[in-house]
Amino acid sequence: MSMIKFLDVKTKGDDRGHLVALEYKNDIPFDIKRVYYLTDTKEGVPRGFHAHRELVQVAVCVSGRCLMKLDNGSLKEEVWLDSPDKVIVIDKMIWHEMHEFSTDCVLLVLASEVYDERDYIRDYTAFKELLGASEIDVI
Ligand code: TYD
């Protein structure tokens, strides 16, 4: 099953411009505990390269674009975030990388938890090992 899950966003556009509203419960599948955004990104400088044990996030390029790469340990997928109505859900235990940022990119992220470095898995081998361990648990 594809990891690429977009929220069903309704853009309220008129001749003054576009407006997108994301509401707690109605749109976002978790209680929002943190908001952060990336700016001043560089075309050849990717970011991310980690997974989270518990954190779930929603991400959207409100300006510009980047290429989001997702990996659940058995499948790798990538998708351009190149529109303010492409609001993607990044589930827990998904290795994610952001590549090919445009210089005007503003990547807005809504997160289910406050920042906690202990929730990060920053080593890909450790990520694969943790996935393997959880599969054994299920059996
Ligand atoms: P980092 O996780 O390396 O960013 P990315 O995954 O986008 O490459 O975070 C950069 C720095 O910012 C790092 O020192 C941790 C800090 N940080 C916070 O303090 N709070 C936050 O909510 C986030 C996401 C990062």
Side-chain angles (χ1 to χ4, degrees):
M1 202 170 83
S2 175
M3 288 168 281
I4 299 169
K5 288 183 250 170
F6 284 114
L7 298 182
D8 184 19
V9 165
K10 306 271 187 295
T11 301
K12 296 166 210 309
D14 59 30
D15 52 12
R16 298 168 303 162
H18 296 297
L19 185 153
V20 175
L22 300 175
E23 291 190 356
Y24 163 66
K25 285 205 175 134
N26 290 334
D27 302 291
I28 307 296
F30 49 77
D31 295 2
I32 302 160
K33 300 236 180 81
R34 176 165 50 116
V35 175
Y36 64 92
Y37 38 92
L38 304 181
T39 58
D40 200 23
T41 50
K42 315 280 185 272
E43 189 103 37
V45 184
R47 303 191 58 138
F49 297 90
H50 60 251
H52 290 283
R53 293 167 201 275
E54 294 299 332
L55 188 75
V56 183
Q57 303 186 94
V58 157
V60 53
C61 285
V62 293
S63 168
R65 60 169 164 72
C66 72
L67 184 63
M68 177 69 75
K69 297 189 178 184
L70 303 175
D71 177 350
N72 64 6
S74 43
L75 178 70
K76 292 180 202 283
E77 292 183 302
E78 55 183 58
V79 63
W80 282 101
L81 301 185
D82 54 3
S83 165
D85 61 13
K86 288 171 86 171
V87 186
I88 198 166
V89 180
I90 307 168
D91 228 327
K92 62 176 151 180
M93 291 306 283
I94 300 291
W95 185 267
H96 52 284
E97 303 172 6
M98 290 82 77
H99 293 256
E100 298 190 43
F101 284 98
S102 58
T103 47
D104 61 345
C105 180
V106 178
L107 180 63
L108 174 69
V109 184
L110 313 180
S112 66
E113 302 295 338
V114 295
Y115 176 73
D116 180 0
E117 186 57 39
R118 292 167 304 177
D119 187 65
Y120 279 72
I121 307 159
R122 293 191 185 271
D123 179 77
Y124 189 74
T125 307
F127 167 67
K128 293 281 281 185
E129 281 171 6
L130 268 168
L131 286 173
S134 65
E135 273 166 28
I136 291 161
D137 282 352
V138 170
I139 294 162

